[in-house]
Amino acid sequence: MSGEDVVHDNTVVIRMMSDLHKYIGNPTQQLKQDDTIEKESPPGNRTGVSNTSCSILDVTEAFAPDMPRSAFEKYQRALTAELVSVEAKVVQLESELAFQRNEKACTIVELEKNYTILKQGKIRDDEKYADLQQKLRYVVEREKATKEQLQQCKKNLDAARGGPNQKFINLQREKHKLEAELNEVKQTTGNIIAEHELELQRKDSEIATCVNQLEEMKAQQRQLLKRQRTTANRQQQEEDLKLKLAVAEHRNRELEEKISRLHEAEFVSKSISSSLSKLSELEAENRRLIDDNNYLRSTTENTLLYKEKADGLETALARANDRFNELLHVEALNEELTSKLKRWEAFAINTAGVLKSPEEYSVSVAEQQQREAVLTQQMGEVKASNHVYKERCANQQQEIDKLKESEQQPKSNIKPEILRKLQKKLVFVMTERDGYKRIIDTYDSEMTINYQSLERQRLAELQSMLDAYKKRVEQLEADAGLTLQVGKQEVAGAAVDSSSVAREVLELKQELEKLTAEKQKLAADKEAWEMRTEQRSMQGDYDPRHTKVVHFERNPAAISTQRRAGELEALRGECEMLRARVLILEAGGSGRGDVLDLTAQVQEKVQGQPSSKQVDEVKNQLQSLELKNKRLIEAFRKTSQEFREVCYMLLGYQIDMPCNSQYRLRSMYAESPDDHLLFQIQHQNKEGLQLLESEYMKTTTVKELMDTYLKQSNSIPAFLSSLTLDLFNKQTTIFA
Amino acid sequence: MTSDTDLVAYLSGVMKQIREWLAAKVLQRMVVVITRVDTQETLERWQFDIDTDKTVTDDSSPRSKPLKEIQKEIRDVIRQITASVTFLPLLDCPCSFNILIYTDKESEVPESFEESGRCFIANSQEVRLRSSRRQSTGRTRSLCYTVDD
């Protein structure tokens, strides 16, 4: 709480004033209170308290009823300072209180602990005391018993006084002993009792001191409780103040928030008012816009409608244009046709007054054409007859020629009458021929173009087709008749063939019986076969098409047989060794000292004599190798022969090898068998071939070739081929 | 059981392969052959035909058969085998045994296996033993037969 706040709070000032008046009214009581505080508070805090009292006194001195305003302010300041100091004091006191509380708790705990320890000690002492009393009782009882024994012994002694002295002495000794023991026990018990009494006394005193301490502590506790109460009161007050302060602060904050909210609301209201003012404008604008929108929508619909209409109109226009064009075309056609018609009509009128329409004209044309066809037919006939006449005419001409010749040769033979007749005939024929020719010419002039031939051809084809169809129909009809006939025949035959059917049934029955018999036989066979197969399968047979038999490679049987074979081999070797030994022994008969040498000799002999098996093996190898060699040689010979032949055929030279590294070439076209070339390989420089001198080389042609190809170009193949060509030319020239 | 390591290795190898073939349903027959070591002559042939159910696939549910029944059948077969000692001729020569396995022609054979003859016994006598049916592997007919002296 700040000083200013205190000043502003009027109630505080009034309360302080009342306190001051009280203080002034009863200073002694205050002093007393201060004294009590001084007494209660620990020595460290005394100074602070006295200071506060002093300061308060000072304030009272300074404070007067007619105090000026500055003094009042001073007083206020002093009060605030005091309040601060009081607060500090309160805090200090609180800390002190806490400390005291802790201390008190510790002391209480310690005291309680001591108390319990002491209690326990007392209980233990009591127990010890009880034990000792019991012991004492026991000892007393024992004493009594011993006394009784003693008395008994005395009685016995009295009774046995007449007995031997030894016994008496013994008894006396025993008695002494027992008495000594008794005394010892008494002493020890006395000592123990004293010790315990002492201890008890000590414990009692300790308990008393503890009780005192406890009382002191209780007093202290009471004091502390008092202080605690006061501090609690103060604390409560403080808490109340704090609560008030918190409430005030909370209210303050709420108010501030309210203010801020109000500010915001103001701002919002301002903005809303501005927006409201705008809203009206916006609404007006909105309305305007809506109107515009509606108007535009209606206009767009209208425009769309107009567009559609325009499209429709355009299409209609296009159609109309087309129609118009068509119309023009049709008009033109019409004109053309009318002109044609007119022409036709004119033509018709000109040609035939009867014909008035093109149909009639076409009919007349067809008639004309038919007539034409008839005419052409006639013309063909006429042509044919013309041809015939021509032939006849030629014949007659020939005859005439013959006759003329005959007339010239033997004029006397021919009669002049016949000649005249013939001449007349000739003239007649000639005129006839001329007439025919004329007719043909006229026809030719008339019929330059032949329309009808094609139609005729087509007609003929159709006629032939019709004929073919007719034939087919006839054939089918004939077939139908035939089938009908056959059916009738069958119906008739069915009745007739019942006997044959019966025969057939009998045959079938027989066959059935045969088949059943066969079936039974087969079933029996099958059973037998199954039995046999089962037997075979029991014996381990299997179908190699579906099954295979496998076994582990290293099976016990194989291992044992292998082992056995090894053993057998070893035994055989041993046997042989022994045989050799026996032989040596038999042959040598050497003395006993040579036994060691004997084994060596045996081994030598066994190793020295190659076993027949080894020899056989070697022989076999040798034979196989020889066979291989032979085969290789044969193969080589064959291939080399082939190679040479091919070389001879391809290159025209037979290549031989008379001796090592020499090669003899003999041309295919050589004039004599002695004509050959000899080459030698020079191993010193690689690929070197040297031509050796021979008789054939001294011939002029060869020399020339050698000069041109070997000496100048150093090319053996060129030389050889040129030689071949040369020889070939010579041969062919000779043959030619 | 045997303690011979070679024999144990051999049997384990064979059994492993047999398991594979059984799973592949290609096993047809197993034959234990007892041969004479010195002459390689087959003296006894214990043949176990195995019919695998080809309709069983990896997806199909296993055929159920009570364990008790299976054990009973196995017991019966073993009892018959042991009882056959009474009528089998005495083998008084060093003998060895081999296991032949009849499989489908197309089945894969590992390198450790090789094709074998069927170890036929000429002039034999056959005895048919009781057969048992196991779940999913099918029928196991046991046959035994011996040489005719």
Side-chain angles (χ1 to χ4, degrees):
Chain A
M1 190 189 288
S2 65
E4 281 178 21
D5 290 338
V6 175
V7 173
H8 287 299
D9 199 347
N10 293 329
T11 55
V12 173
V13 174
I14 288 158
R15 202 178 63 204
M16 276 182 157
M17 287 289 280
S18 67
D19 284 349
L20 191 69
H21 283 302
K22 267 185 198 170
Y23 185 73
I24 292 159
N26 198 1
T28 52
Q29 204 179 343
Q30 187 73 29
L31 277 168
K32 264 183 193 173
Q33 270 184 354
D34 288 341
D35 282 345
T36 55
I37 289 160
E38 270 176 29
K39 271 180 197 170
E40 277 170 13
S41 65
N45 281 337
R46 258 176 215 168
T47 52
V49 175
S50 62
N51 284 342
T52 54
S53 63
C54 282
S55 68
I56 291 161
L57 281 170
D58 291 344
V59 168
T60 51
E61 278 171 10
F63 188 71
D66 51 351
M67 202 161 39
R69 190 163 179 83
S70 62
F72 183 72
E73 277 176 5
K74 253 186 204 172
Y75 174 64
Q76 267 185 346
R77 250 175 253 150
L79 272 175
T80 52
E82 204 187 348
L83 194 67
V84 168
S85 66
V86 164
E87 272 173 10
K89 211 174 160 185
V90 164
V91 169
Q92 210 176 347
L93 281 168
E94 271 173 13
S95 64
E96 266 176 27
L97 190 70
F99 178 69
Q100 288 287 346
R101 257 186 233 157
N102 283 339
E103 232 177 20
K104 197 186 94 187
C106 285
T107 47
I108 287 163
V109 167
E110 267 177 15
L111 283 170
E112 273 173 3
K113 218 187 270 178
N114 281 337
Y115 184 62
T116 49
I117 289 160
L118 284 170
K119 260 187 182 174
Q120 280 172 356
K122 201 186 165 188
I123 288 158
R124 243 182 280 143
D125 286 340
D126 286 344
E127 279 171 5
K128 263 186 189 175
Y129 186 62
D131 279 359
L132 285 169
Q133 270 184 345
Q134 269 185 344
K135 273 182 186 174
L136 192 68
R137 254 177 255 145
Y138 175 67
V139 167
V140 169
E141 277 171 14
R142 222 174 155 188
E143 201 185 357
K144 272 180 191 172
T146 45
K147 270 179 184 174
E148 276 171 11
Q149 269 184 343
L150 188 69
Q151 277 173 357
Q152 221 175 344
C153 283
K154 269 179 184 174
K155 276 176 193 172
N156 286 339
L157 189 71
D158 287 335
R161 201 151 256 183
N165 285 330
Q166 195 77 31
K167 233 179 190 178
F168 180 65
I169 290 155
N170 284 343
L171 283 168
Q172 263 189 337
R173 270 183 207 161
E174 258 184 76
K175 187 199 156 191
H176 282 300
K177 264 187 204 171
L178 285 168
E179 274 175 352
E181 273 180 10
L182 188 70
N183 285 334
E184 270 176 33
V185 166
K186 270 181 184 175
Q187 269 184 348
T188 50
T189 48
N191 285 337
I192 289 161
I193 288 160
E195 274 176 21
H196 282 288
E197 273 172 356
L198 269 171
E199 247 179 75
L200 263 174
Q201 278 174 358
R202 234 187 293 148
K203 294 284 172 190
D204 282 341
S205 64
E206 273 180 9
I207 287 162
T209 52
C210 278
V211 167
N212 283 337
Q213 275 183 355
L214 192 69
E215 274 170 7
E216 274 177 27
M217 287 293 171
K218 272 178 184 171
Q220 275 185 1
Q221 197 186 358
R222 256 173 255 140
Q223 278 181 356
L224 284 167
L225 276 169
K226 269 184 194 170
R227 269 194 221 169
Q228 198 185 349
R229 256 173 243 147
T230 52
T231 47
N233 284 334
R234 280 185 194 174
Q235 248 179 324
Q236 219 169 354
Q237 280 176 3
E238 204 185 332
E239 272 168 18
D240 286 344
L241 284 169
K242 272 182 185 172
L243 266 172
K244 275 178 189 173
L245 183 71
V247 168
E249 275 181 353
H250 187 67
R251 208 182 284 167
N252 195 12
R253 248 178 254 150
E254 274 178 0
L255 286 167
E256 276 175 3
E257 275 175 20
K258 267 185 187 174
I259 287 160
S260 64
R261 253 182 265 152
L262 279 168
H263 277 297
E264 279 172 20
E266 200 182 351
F267 185 71
V268 169
S269 65
K270 268 181 194 171
S271 62
I272 284 167
S273 61
S274 64
S275 62
L276 271 169
S277 62
K278 274 180 195 170
L279 187 71
S280 60
E281 285 170 24
L282 281 168
E283 274 178 353
E285 211 173 336
N286 195 18
R287 250 173 256 144
R288 238 184 297 142
L289 284 167
I290 286 163
D291 290 344
D292 284 357
N293 208 0
N294 287 332
Y295 174 70
L296 282 168
R297 260 182 212 156
S298 58
T299 48
T300 46
E301 278 170 12
N302 284 338
T303 46
L304 278 171
L305 268 171
Y306 283 131
K307 267 183 187 172
E308 274 184 10
K309 271 184 187 173
D311 287 341
L313 286 169
E314 272 177 8
T315 48
L317 187 70
R319 256 180 278 146
N321 278 333
D322 288 344
R323 281 264 182 87
F324 185 67
N325 285 333
E326 272 175 31
L327 194 69
L328 282 175
H329 190 65
V330 166
E331 273 177 1
L333 263 175
N334 195 18
E335 274 174 19
E336 218 176 302
L337 285 169
T338 45
S339 64
K340 263 187 187 174
L341 192 66
K342 274 173 191 168
R343 258 185 280 149
W344 273 113
E345 277 171 358
F347 181 69
I349 289 156
N350 286 339
T351 47
V354 191
L355 297 173
K356 281 182 181 170
S357 66
E359 285 88 25
E360 282 175 13
Y361 184 71
S362 64
V363 169
S364 73
V365 164
E367 277 170 16
Q368 291 275 350
Q369 277 173 350
Q370 274 182 354
R371 217 180 291 157
E372 200 178 47
V374 172
L375 284 169
T376 44
Q377 211 174 344
Q378 280 176 1
M379 190 184 77
E381 280 166 18
V382 169
K383 266 184 183 173
S385 58
N386 184 28
H387 193 69
V388 169
Y389 281 124
K390 267 182 184 172
E391 273 185 1
R392 214 185 282 167
C393 186
N395 285 340
Q396 281 175 357
Q397 194 73 38
Q398 274 177 354
E399 270 178 34
I400 290 160
D401 288 345
K402 271 181 193 171
L403 284 168
K404 272 179 183 173
E405 275 176 16
S406 62
E407 205 180 5
Q408 279 169 358
Q409 281 171 358
K411 273 182 183 173
S412 55
N413 292 353
I414 305 153
K415 288 173 182 174
E417 288 167 16
I418 296 163
L419 193 71
R420 247 175 269 146
K421 267 183 194 171
L422 281 169
Q423 272 176 344
K424 273 179 189 171
K425 226 179 194 175
L426 184 68
V427 170
F428 179 67
V429 164
M430 276 172 95
T431 51
E432 207 174 4
R433 191 193 65 185
D434 289 338
Y436 275 124
K437 262 183 186 172
R438 245 180 285 133
I439 290 164
I440 288 160
D441 285 342
T442 53
Y443 275 124
D444 276 334
S445 62
E446 270 178 22
M447 300 294 298
T448 45
I449 305 157
N450 196 357
Y451 294 108
Q452 301 298 320
S453 64
L454 285 168
E455 280 180 7
R456 246 183 286 146
Q457 215 175 332
R458 184 149 176 75
L459 197 72
E461 274 172 22
L462 286 167
Q463 193 66 41
S464 65
M465 268 167 83
L466 190 69
D467 288 347
Y469 280 127
K470 271 180 185 166
K471 269 182 193 168
R472 178 93 184 129
V473 166
E474 276 168 14
Q475 205 182 336
L476 285 169
E477 274 172 355
D479 281 359
L482 268 173
T483 46
L484 269 171
Q485 274 183 349
V486 168
K488 277 173 190 167
Q489 276 172 359
E490 272 178 0
V491 169
V496 178
D497 288 350
S498 59
S499 61
S500 69
V501 167
R503 224 181 299 141
E504 216 167 279
V505 166
L506 268 175
E507 273 175 18
L508 284 169
K509 269 183 186 170
Q510 279 174 356
E511 210 170 309
L512 191 71
E513 275 170 18
K514 227 191 278 173
L515 283 169
T516 45
E518 207 171 326
K519 189 192 147 198
Q520 277 173 0
K521 201 179 148 195
L522 282 169
D525 277 1
K526 191 191 160 202
E527 214 165 291
W529 175 250
E530 271 177 359
M531 291 273 277
R532 214 180 297 156
T533 48
E534 202 174 339
Q535 172 90 6
R536 284 176 74 82
S537 107
M538 270 174 81
Q539 286 177 349
D541 206 5
Y542 64 95
D543 187 356
R545 285 173 302 172
H546 308 302
T547 313
K548 62 182 169 187
V549 184
V550 293
H551 67 146
F552 206 68
E553 206 170 3
R554 298 211 26 92
N555 56 50
I559 291 164
S560 59
T561 49
Q562 210 178 325
R563 201 182 294 150
R564 196 177 165 74
E567 275 172 17
L568 203 70
E569 197 69 24
L571 284 170
R572 268 188 196 141
E574 209 178 329
C575 188
E576 223 154 272
M577 290 265 277
L578 286 169
R579 264 187 206 142
R581 182 179 281 241
V582 167
L583 278 173
I584 287 164
L585 280 170
E586 276 177 355
S590 55
R592 284 193 170 200
D594 303 333
V595 175
L596 283 171
D597 295 340
L598 193 64
T599 47
Q601 278 178 15
V602 168
Q603 276 186 349
E604 212 171 276
K605 196 168 183 186
V606 169
Q607 281 173 357
Q609 283 180 342
S611 64
S612 59
K613 204 175 166 187
Q614 273 182 330
V615 170
D616 285 346
E617 273 180 20
V618 169
K619 272 183 183 169
N620 276 333
Q621 278 183 2
L622 194 70
Q623 271 183 355
S624 66
L625 278 171
E626 276 176 355
L627 203 70
K628 213 173 173 184
N629 258 343
K630 254 186 199 170
R631 274 179 197 157
L632 277 170
I633 286 162
E634 272 173 22
F636 279 135
R637 197 172 286 161
K638 204 176 167 189
T639 45
S640 67
Q641 184 73 26
E642 204 177 284
F643 182 73
R644 275 158 178 233
E645 276 172 12
V646 169
C647 275
Y648 182 68
M649 279 189 278
L650 288 173
L651 305 172
Y653 284 101
Q654 189 189 336
I655 302 166
D656 293 323
M657 208 169 144
C659 59
N660 215 2
S661 70
Q662 271 193 8
Y663 292 90
R664 186 168 59 202
L665 270 75
R666 205 171 278 151
S667 179
M668 195 188 267
Y669 309 108
E671 284 160 358
S672 72
D674 295 331
D675 293 351
H676 62 260
L677 297 165
L678 257 179
F679 288 95
Q680 190 172 26
I681 293 174
Q682 282 192 322
H683 292 288
Q684 282 85 8
N685 43 347
K686 285 169 191 173
E687 299 174 20
L689 260 177
Q690 210 175 23
L691 183 63
L692 300 179
E693 212 173 278
S694 63
E695 283 296 316
Y696 180 57
M697 281 163 62
K698 285 166 188 171
T699 54
T700 50
T701 49
V702 175
K703 260 188 181 173
E704 278 170 16
L705 288 171
M706 271 171 70
D707 282 337
T708 50
Y709 291 105
L710 282 180
K711 284 178 184 166
Q712 286 176 16
S713 319
N714 196 19
S715 167
I716 294 166
F719 165 66
L720 289 176
S721 40
S722 63
L723 189 63
T724 309
L725 275 174
D726 186 56
L727 289 171
F728 178 72
N729 284 334
K730 273 183 188 170
Q731 289 244 330
T732 45
T733 47
I734 287 161
F735 283 127
Chain B
M1 290 301 287
T2 179
S3 60
D4 187 346
T5 51
D6 290 344
L7 194 57
V8 168
Y10 166 70
L11 286 175
S12 64
V14 171
M15 292 314 284
K16 185 171 159 252
Q17 191 53 48
I18 282 169
R19 198 171 299 136
E20 272 179 32
W21 274 326
L22 258 181
K25 293 169 283 185
V26 294
L27 197 63
Q28 292 178 354
R29 185 182 284 175
M30 276 172 65
V31 184
V32 179
V33 180
I34 295 174
T35 51
R36 202 175 166 137
V37 172
D38 47 3
T39 57
Q40 307 276 320
E41 184 189 0
T42 307
L43 300 178
E44 283 181 21
R45 209 164 180 290
W46 297 75
Q47 183 168 305
F48 302 90
D49 284 2
I50 295 160
D51 288 350
T52 49
D53 191 349
K54 303 267 186 191
T55 58
V56 173
T57 59
D58 293 338
D59 304 326
S60 59
S61 57
R63 307 277 165 79
S64 60
K65 187 171 184 180
L67 186 69
K68 224 172 188 177
E69 210 172 311
I70 295 166
Q71 282 174 343
K72 183 181 169 287
E73 283 175 2
I74 293 169
R75 203 162 49 233
D76 289 351
V77 170
I78 290 170
R79 189 177 290 157
Q80 274 207 316
I81 290 167
T82 48
S84 61
V85 171
T86 52
F87 57 81
L88 286 171
L90 189 68
L91 303 173
D92 53 354
C93 53
C95 293
S96 182
F97 81 99
N98 189 11
I99 297 173
L100 307 182
I101 300 155
Y102 287 53
T103 67
D104 285 359
K105 193 85 180 168
E106 296 81 25
S107 62
E108 277 182 32
V109 178
E111 278 185 20
S112 54
F113 280 79
E114 61 180 8
E115 294 231 3
S116 157
R118 55 178 182 157
C119 295
F120 187 70
I121 302 176
N123 210 3
S124 61
Q125 272 192 350
E126 295 90 40
V127 177
R128 189 187 287 270
L129 295 182
R130 189 196 291 266
S131 67
S132 80
R133 187 180 284 276
R134 299 281 304 276
Q135 63 190 62
S136 81
T137 52
R139 193 161 57 98
T140 314
R141 190 177 58 187
S142 321
L143 287 173
C144 148
Y145 68 78
T146 67
V147 72
D148 188 14
D149 281 331

